[in-house]
Amino acid sequence: MIELTRKQVVIDGTPRIVMAGEVHYFRVAREEWEQRLDLVVEAGLTAVASYIPWVYHELPDGTIDVSGTTRPERDVAAFVDLCADRGLMFIARPGPFVMAELKNEGIPFRVYREHPEIVPGGWDGVPTPSRTVDYLAPAFLEETRRWYEAILPVLVPRLQPNGGNVVMVQLDNEVGMLAWVTNSPDLTDHLLEHFARWVDVKYGAARPYPAAPGGDGWAEVVRSPSEEWAGPLRVDLGEFMRERFADYVVALRTMAEDLGVRGVPFAINIHGTEGGSGTPFPIGISQLVRTYSGIPGMVSGSDHYMGEATLTTMSDLYVINAFMDAVHDDDQPLTSLEFEAGSGDYGAGAEMQYDPSTAELKTRLCLAQGNRLVNYYLFAGGINPPLDEVVDDGNDRLSFTGERHGTAAPVGPEGQRGFAYAATARTVHAVTANEPWLAVMDEEHDEVELGLVLDAYATEYHHPASALMTDAVTDLTQHRGAGQRRALVRSLLLGGYRFGAVHLEERSPRAGSVLVLGAGRYLAADVQRRVVAHAEAGGRVLLLGPVPERDLDGSPCHVLADALDLGHGEVVRDSGHYYPSVVAHGWAAPWPETRVGWRQELRPTRGDVVLTDVYGTACGVDVPLGDGRVVLLAAELPSSRELFTRALTALGATAGVSTSTPFPGVITTTTASADGQRALHLINVSGAALPTTVTLDGEELFDGAALQVPPRSGFVLPLGLDVAGVRLLGGTGEVAGVEDGAIRFRPFLGLDDGPGHVDIAPGTVVLPGDGYEVTPFPDGTVRVTPLDAAAELVVRVDTRSPLVDPNPEPGPELVIEASQRA
């Protein structure tokens, strides 16, 4: 039985962290399947995921082989059963779209040839450059049903509730992505008819369009918009497509359930990273939010490719997780269905190579934020088989990548251990050792929430000739989310703030909290009103960006500016001969004069000026509003732990975790469970060892001594963990496993005044031994400290007596080991 409850994945009554690896059976020779799965098991993974591509299983005559009649690699059941034989769960991804660098994104060539009406044109009727389709076209749905009728009966008897190992089924893949990346809405005649009915319901006779929906000229109005209605059309298309995608997923789920897929979660894969950046990721949330948000039995999974783990990457990843969670209900967990793995050398030309620690650092951050499933994509590479029909496209193989595929994967195309295999396996084993508490812990948050304005990400459709559409999309893209230059989020993370996000179109921030919001000139009236109401009721707001002055459709909207009695001038940008710089005042000072990319003149009638240009023109203000306050910083500021921490402190929000390091690079957060367990998460993304003091809830940890955090490393340190009957109150060692009555630790982090230690709760007898000293405290706590930082530490613990006894009576023992320092 599989349950999604309290943001946990509960399998047969036990909360789990599912660690999966993507292995494409169709890219691996049948006789090599077992060797690949043995490497999966060796790495410590507990599940395998795989696309099941329609284009591979359908033959040129239209028949479908999923049993291996024509090729042994087409025997899907055999592969799933081999996974089961090794105790591996299976995540099925049958499409119909699968992407995976396949021709037609996984749709058979025949479908396009026989049903040309499903292929959309975009703006001005120009054919779309991608192989997308009108998802709800009757012919496409009928073809999809035919595919599901072939593949799902293979999966149904193997579902986990039926005694099998299939624990999740993904419906389609990256829905809406192809239209977004090409800026080509799926404007088929069928879609335009549906859109016409939607517009009629929304507007009635008050519609902003010159032609009656569905009447003469309607197609031209949508495909080639005039500036008169370009603004409303951009907004309407975004809203409409959310509903259409939701209808599509309902159709797929209904087909699957009709065919017997029940009792396991259905997954939706959220796309959105682009060019190594995670900033556009919420575009995928915006497109697909109605396909899964608050719907029982549905789970969303991130799909991210951002390269090397850096402060920039980790800031993006933190936002991805926070924004995904903001639209989930109280039960829906965070998952990642495509978690970038490997060395980064995707083209096998050594153009790039990630540090092997990259996957570990990203994994640790995601788990600290509550991810319950991570699927490393691609875990094992393979060989793209030839197509069964000649299409004369240069290689006539299943994929456009050529013969070898997955050259960056931890396991290479020929089954060899890749550059990142050992590091990935080390990461998975570390997660497994900490699974009992990670599976039930949630991140603790300070009184800070990052504002998610989902409509600011509805920027996937804009006519290239429309100045209004282009202006709106440019403004929204520059200022949304983490703020320009990621200044908001990166600064908060470096300042030790732990925060989630609030979906501002749907709910208000927590009463009394500080809302942190990146926004530009375009901000919906309803959102402006919600921001104002939050401040008037005693909340506080930190807003980075120019003064909002337009609604999303381009119409004037000054709700926030009017509430603040705030006048403003034009945005002044840098140029080849002008270098705007700003100076801090009041609580923001001292802060060095800093060059910025732009600044906007603000003309406040009340409150304090906290930022000006070097000539004294205000561009940052702190304005009282009702019982609360709004700080507006109207300049393209760089990330600054000092400035933004001062801003949040002035607004009454202090960081629950604070660190002191000589250079940026350490990210900290804490997690806790309902039964009182707690952990500190430390991640050093820099290439330098950083001494780090940690203050938690106002108290210095480790008596104020600095932890020596190695470069490119991460740790889960106990603040109260129940491990095999012993409570670890605190310390500098991460649990590495419980085996044969022993608790193993990773090498302890050292302190600047000596070796690290672990504190064990009262009620535990610690036996003396070589290599460590035992220090009892008056409250019964016992501290164990290694004498030689490089030596293995073995501590024997008897849980029967609260006294430190060198000669205890024989009884049950617990062995705690600390392996050698790296």
Side-chain angles (χ1 to χ4, degrees):
M1 181 178 179
I2 301 173
E3 297 175 278
L4 305 176
T5 179
R6 301 188 305 279
K7 298 188 181 296
Q8 299 171 14
V9 176
V10 180
I11 302 177
D12 290 335
T14 301
R16 298 294 306 274
I17 300 290
V18 179
M19 299 298 292
E22 186 91 8
V23 181
H24 290 160
Y25 65 92
F26 52 92
R27 285 177 163 136
V28 177
R30 173 75 175 264
E31 61 269 19
E32 297 178 17
W33 283 358
E34 294 192 58
Q35 185 263 353
R36 300 301 197 278
L37 295 180
D38 288 343
L39 288 175
V40 169
V41 172
E42 182 181 329
L45 295 166
T46 54
V48 166
S50 182
Y51 287 122
I52 306 175
W54 183 7
V55 69
Y56 175 68
H57 287 278
E58 179 170 306
L59 307 180
D61 64 1
T63 59
I64 296 175
D65 177 13
V66 294
S67 62
T69 302
T70 56
R71 288 187 192 176
E73 291 78 23
R74 288 187 168 122
D75 190 345
V76 177
F79 184 75
V80 176
D81 291 344
L82 275 178
C83 292
D85 291 343
R86 285 159 175 75
L88 295 167
M89 294 175 278
F90 189 79
I91 299 169
R93 310 174 77 191
F97 278 91
V98 298
M99 286 57 181
E101 296 79 50
L102 298 184
K103 306 285 177 66
N104 299 338
E105 317 295 348
I107 306 299
F109 289 84
R110 175 193 60 79
V111 173
Y112 295 92
R113 288 195 302 266
E114 294 184 3
H115 307 288
E117 76 278 9
I118 73 173
V119 179
W123 299 118
D124 302 318
V126 175
T128 57
S130 68
R131 296 295 277 170
T132 187
V133 301
D134 177 354
Y135 293 110
L136 286 178
F140 181 69
L141 289 179
E142 189 56 37
E143 291 284 5
T144 298
R145 176 176 292 277
R146 182 171 169 274
W147 163 238
Y148 272 19
E149 287 172 346
I151 187 57
L152 295 186
V154 176
L155 301 178
V156 167
R158 292 170 174 82
L159 296 175
Q160 194 269 355
N162 296 337
N165 60 327
V166 178
V167 295
M168 184 176 290
V169 175
Q170 181 179 311
L171 298 172
D172 205 89
N173 186 59
E174 299 177 359
V175 176
M177 181 269 291
L178 295 172
W180 161 51
V181 297
T182 60
N183 184 24
S184 298
D186 302 336
L187 301 181
T188 62
D189 291 341
H190 179 260
L191 182 142
L192 289 175
E193 291 174 6
H194 186 184
F195 185 45
R197 294 193 296 273
W198 184 90
V199 167
D200 254 343
V201 171
K202 178 177 180 178
Y203 292 106
R207 61 182 177 270
Y209 304 110
D216 292 342
W218 174 245
E220 184 71 12
V221 162
V222 178
R223 289 173 175 151
S224 303
S226 165
E227 289 295 84
E228 297 174 50
W229 60 88
L233 177 63
R234 188 191 68 80
V235 175
D236 287 345
L237 274 177
E239 293 179 2
F240 165 72
M241 290 305 296
R242 285 178 189 160
E243 292 190 12
R244 192 166 174 84
F245 293 146
D247 290 344
Y248 172 56
V249 170
V250 167
L252 295 183
R253 179 173 179 172
T254 300
M255 288 182 201
E257 290 179 334
D258 288 347
L259 292 165
V261 179
R262 297 178 180 273
V264 299
F266 289 104
I268 296 295
N269 202 17
I270 310 296
H271 57 272
T273 59
E274 182 182 41
S277 171
T279 56
F281 178 88
I283 290 174
I285 302 178
S286 170
Q287 289 181 293
L288 301 180
V289 62
R290 293 185 182 173
T291 68
Y292 64 86
S293 178
I295 300 175
M298 300 295 296
V299 63
S300 72
S302 62
D303 178 336
H304 51 76
Y305 297 86
M306 298 179 291
E308 191 83 59
T310 64
L311 280 176
T312 294
T313 304
M314 301 295 262
S315 297
D316 286 354
L317 191 53
Y318 198 90
V319 172
I320 285 172
N321 289 323
F323 279 177
M324 286 181 65
D325 189 57
V327 302
H328 286 171
D329 64 24
D330 292 339
D331 289 324
Q332 290 174 314
L334 287 173
T335 75
S336 183
L337 289 166
E338 286 192 26
F339 193 105
E340 184 179 23
S343 68
D345 185 18
Y346 295 106
E351 285 89 355
M352 68 175 88
Q353 184 164 281
Y354 307 154
D355 188 281
S357 64
T358 287
E360 176 179 4
L361 301 181
K362 292 179 181 177
T363 299
R364 287 181 175 275
L365 181 65
C366 286
L367 292 175
Q369 289 183 267
N371 269 252
R372 312 302 191 193
L373 180 153
V374 170
N375 178 36
Y376 289 119
Y377 190 100
L378 190 65
F379 183 77
I383 304 299
N384 290 310
L387 289 166
D388 286 289
E389 60 179 310
V390 175
V391 294
D392 197 22
D393 64 356
N395 70 11
D396 284 319
R397 289 186 178 271
L398 186 66
S399 172
F400 54 75
T401 58
E403 182 180 20
R404 301 176 79 241
H405 188 82
T407 55
V411 176
E414 291 76 32
Q416 68 274 36
R417 298 166 194 266
F419 179 64
Y421 181 84
T424 304
R426 182 177 66 246
T427 301
V428 175
H429 286 293
V431 172
T432 300
N434 289 272
E435 180 185 9
W437 36 94
L438 290 178
V440 296
M441 283 181 164
D442 297 311
E443 185 181 27
E444 298 181 296
H445 291 154
D446 298 312
E447 286 300 307
V448 175
E449 291 183 287
L450 180 64
L452 167 60
V453 181
L454 209 52
D455 286 336
Y457 289 92
T459 54
E460 66 271 31
Y461 309 122
H462 57 284
H463 195 290
S466 169
L468 180 56
M469 285 186 172
T470 301
D471 182 62
V473 168
T474 300
D475 177 73
L476 293 168
T477 301
Q478 286 177 342
H479 300 289
R480 63 197 178 189
Q484 205 160 18
R485 300 175 67 177
R486 300 174 176 83
L488 286 174
V489 169
R490 191 187 289 124
S491 300
L492 266 59
L493 288 178
L494 291 176
Y497 284 93
R498 306 158 298 173
F499 54 93
V502 55
H503 182 192
L504 288 174
E505 285 101 344
E506 296 292 331
R507 59 182 61 91
S508 299
R510 295 195 308 271
S513 67
V514 176
L515 171 66
V516 178
L517 180 63
R521 295 180 297 115
Y522 289 78
L523 187 62
D526 285 347
V527 174
Q528 292 192 41
R529 282 189 282 268
R530 185 158 271 158
V531 171
V532 169
H534 175 64
E536 289 178 336
R540 288 90 69 208
V541 179
L542 173 59
L543 179 63
L544 179 64
V547 177
E549 59 185 17
R550 292 179 180 271
D551 207 333
L552 292 173
D553 62 3
S555 59
C557 182
H558 304 95
V559 173
L560 181 59
D562 289 346
L564 297 174
D565 295 322
L566 182 64
H568 62 276
E570 294 298 313
V571 170
V572 178
R573 301 185 182 277
D574 63 358
S575 67
H577 303 286
Y578 187 77
Y579 320 104
S581 299
V582 298
V583 181
H585 303 272
W587 54 250
W591 190 61
E593 176 187 315
T594 302
R595 182 182 168 184
V596 296
W598 60 266
R599 59 89 182 157
Q600 182 182 31
E601 177 188 0
L602 302 180
R603 296 190 289 270
T605 59
R606 64 178 190 271
D608 300 318
V609 173
V610 296
L611 209 63
T612 68
D613 72 359
V614 296
Y615 306 112
T617 301
C619 56
V621 295
D622 183 346
V623 180
L625 180 58
D627 292 332
R629 290 159 60 194
V630 175
V631 171
L632 172 60
L633 303 177
E636 187 191 36
L637 299 172
S639 302
S640 170
R641 176 170 62 181
E642 294 74 21
L643 178 64
F644 286 95
T645 295
R646 285 182 188 144
L648 287 173
T649 301
L651 291 171
T654 57
V657 182
S658 61
T659 61
S660 175
T661 59
F663 306 103
V666 174
I667 297 172
T668 58
T669 191
T670 60
T671 54
S673 63
D675 62 0
Q677 297 190 82
R678 200 178 185 204
L680 171 69
H681 300 257
L682 277 172
I683 301 172
N684 180 7
V685 302
S686 78
L690 295 179
T692 303
T693 61
V694 182
T695 300
L696 177 61
D697 301 331
E699 296 184 10
E700 291 183 329
L701 298 184
F702 318 115
D703 301 320
L707 285 165
Q708 302 300 316
V709 187
R712 309 287 297 174
S713 67
F715 295 84
V716 178
L717 301 182
L719 295 173
L721 296 181
D722 295 326
V723 185
V726 172
R727 171 151 286 218
L728 306 180
L729 296 178
T732 67
E734 177 180 283
V735 174
V738 178
E739 301 166 3
D740 299 326
I743 299 177
R744 293 185 296 108
F745 284 92
R746 288 181 63 189
F748 279 27
L749 288 171
L751 300 170
D752 62 7
D753 60 355
H757 58 257
V758 60
D759 291 340
I760 302 175
T764 305
V765 171
V766 178
L767 306 177
D770 296 331
Y772 61 89
E773 64 179 20
V774 178
T775 306
F777 292 97
D779 66 354
T781 301
V782 178
R783 173 166 293 179
V784 178
T785 307
L787 299 176
D788 182 350
E792 183 180 69
L793 179 66
V794 179
V795 181
R796 300 183 183 279
V797 179
D798 185 334
T799 60
R800 295 176 310 165
S801 170
L803 303 175
V804 177
D805 184 356
N807 299 297
E809 294 294 324
E813 287 187 344
L814 186 66
V815 180
I816 300 181
E817 302 177 309
S819 55
Q820 287 192 337
R821 191 179 297 271

